Amino acid sequence: MPTHPSPTEVDELRRALLAGGAAAMAVGAVLPLVACTAQSPPTEPASTAAAPTPTTPRREIVSTFTTKDGTQIYYKDWGSGPVVVLCHGWPLSSDSWESQMIFLADNGFRVIAHDRRGHGRSSQPWDGNDMDHYADDLAQLLDMLDVKDISIFGFSTGGGEVARYIGRHGTKRVKKAGLISAVPPLMVKTDKNPGGLPIDVFDGLRKAQLENRSQFYKDVPAGPFFGFNRPGAKPSQGMIDFWWLQGMMGGHKNTYDSIKAFSETDFTEDLGKFDVPTLIVHGDDDQVVPIDASARASAKLIKNNKLIVYPGAPHGITDTHKDKLNADMLAFLKS
């Protein structure tokens, strides 16, 4: 067992260092270690050492996954508890749900939201910008995370994504569903859907995007999306800028293709496959997705639903009416 140097031995080492030379350099390198050894108290026997404090197992958080066709999808996974999944609108990202995400996570839920392919921080593939791919990407995410008994909500285009997910993959993982300012059952006017919007409306959106996407993405939130074009409205520049930022993060081709996906996809048969309690929330002054051809029509097709109408509310109620929406979603989740 090693012994500690005596004070005399330490003094001799110091004198050698002062004498200089190679030997002194070597001694100088060793001296601090020797001195520390001389001053350090004996180590306690291992048997008396304190046991390590057990740590709580933590869920590994990965920000992306790759779909079967090689597209990388970004997602957030916040909080812990019963699982809530949120699907965003066009041309936005999961950030558009941030008020609901932080509220629900603070209230004991695990909240998952992804950036749809071609939107936000996800990849921008040339092909696959349609509802079937959106729904299959969502299914792969939920399968990968292996979440069960989820409550899944879709805002605007995200409502179509939720509908097509249930239509294609069923409700084996779903306990409750929600359609918030959502596009189903069908936005465009057809012979079978006389209450829809003329195709010219969506052609106009495509034309505006091709001509000047950045300006278009300023005009939408500054006008009808949040109802800032109504008399007496007080526009929020912050909300307008945030909408523009999210939109511009998406791919030009992807968000262009998505206009067709959200406007011309017929979700009628998908809604007929809803067999879980469903919350439907819509503003009756929604200028983007008019309530009669969307929420009220969906309520007639979904068996077990609760329709809540916000008087005078615009399309973007996740921001303009976030406190009321948060409370209504929480009450639905706890019911």
Side-chain angles (χ1 to χ4, degrees):
M1 183 174 181
T3 58
H4 301 292
S6 67
T8 301
E9 291 171 325
V10 172
D11 288 340
E12 290 176 354
L13 290 170
R14 285 179 178 145
R15 284 194 295 273
L17 178 60
L18 292 173
M25 293 175 63
V27 172
V30 175
L31 180 59
L33 299 177
V34 175
C36 289
T37 304
Q39 296 170 9
S40 300
T43 304
E44 293 185 8
S47 59
T48 63
T53 303
T55 58
T56 303
R58 297 184 65 83
R59 183 174 70 249
E60 182 180 1
I61 304 299
V62 181
S63 295
T64 62
F65 75 98
T66 302
T67 67
K68 295 175 182 178
D69 69 354
T71 301
Q72 191 173 70
I73 302 293
Y74 171 89
Y75 69 96
K76 304 178 186 181
D77 191 343
W78 292 1
S80 60
V83 177
V84 177
V85 177
L86 303 174
C87 299
H88 66 81
W90 171 93
L92 309 175
S93 72
S94 57
D95 291 349
S96 63
W97 278 112
E98 64 181 19
S99 295
Q100 289 68 46
M101 287 194 72
I102 197 167
F103 174 80
L104 293 174
D106 280 343
N107 278 275
F109 292 88
R110 177 183 174 187
V111 191
I112 299 166
H114 68 295
D115 291 357
R116 185 177 303 116
R117 64 167 56 210
H119 295 66
R121 287 140 291 202
S122 293
S123 297
Q124 300 180 5
W126 184 258
D127 298 313
N129 304 298
D130 55 71
M131 282 294 169
D132 287 354
H133 279 84
Y134 297 163
D136 291 351
D137 292 346
L138 175 60
Q140 189 174 339
L141 171 62
L142 302 183
D143 289 346
M144 179 194 70
L145 297 175
D146 194 25
V147 289
K148 299 178 176 66
D149 294 326
I150 69 171
S151 297
I152 186 167
F153 295 84
F155 169 78
S156 195
T157 298
E161 184 176 345
V162 169
R164 183 51 51 94
Y165 168 79
I166 291 177
R168 286 173 70 85
H169 300 278
T171 55
K172 60 183 178 181
R173 295 188 180 277
V174 179
K175 180 173 66 174
K176 293 181 178 180
L179 301 176
I180 314 298
S181 300
V183 300
L186 175 61
M187 285 198 70
V188 72
K189 181 178 181 179
T190 65
D191 292 340
K192 294 182 179 180
N193 186 44
L197 296 172
I199 190 66
D200 292 350
V201 172
F202 306 107
D203 288 341
L205 300 182
R206 282 183 278 264
K207 182 175 183 290
Q209 170 142 341
L210 291 176
E211 288 181 348
N212 190 336
R213 183 165 77 115
S214 181
Q215 186 61 52
F216 177 44
Y217 285 2
K218 291 181 179 181
D219 294 341
V220 173
F225 193 91
F226 295 118
F228 291 153
N229 58 341
R230 292 307 196 199
K234 296 180 180 179
S236 164
Q237 193 61 49
M239 289 166 61
I240 295 168
D241 291 346
F242 192 38
W243 199 100
W244 172 87
L245 175 63
Q246 291 178 68
M248 293 304 294
M249 286 176 66
H252 190 7
K253 170 67 158 56
N254 310 95
T255 53
Y256 179 87
D257 286 355
S258 192
I259 295 172
K260 180 180 179 66
F262 74 66
S263 64
E264 297 181 41
T265 303
D266 190 342
F267 301 101
T268 302
E269 292 185 5
D270 300 308
L271 296 180
K273 297 180 181 179
F274 278 51
D275 57 2
V276 295
T278 302
L279 176 67
I280 303 174
V281 182
H282 218 101
D284 67 3
D285 191 32
D286 190 327
Q287 303 170 68
V288 178
V289 182
I291 188 172
D292 288 335
S294 55
R296 287 180 175 138
S298 292
K300 295 177 181 179
L301 297 170
I302 298 173
K303 299 173 184 176
N304 182 10
N305 76 82
K306 179 179 182 180
L307 172 62
I308 301 178
V309 178
Y310 290 1
H315 187 61
I317 57 175
T318 51
D319 286 306
T320 62
H321 291 64
K322 64 183 181 181
D323 292 337
K324 179 171 176 52
L325 179 61
N326 289 349
D328 286 337
M329 290 175 67
L330 183 61
F332 176 70
L333 290 168
K334 291 185 173 182
S335 64

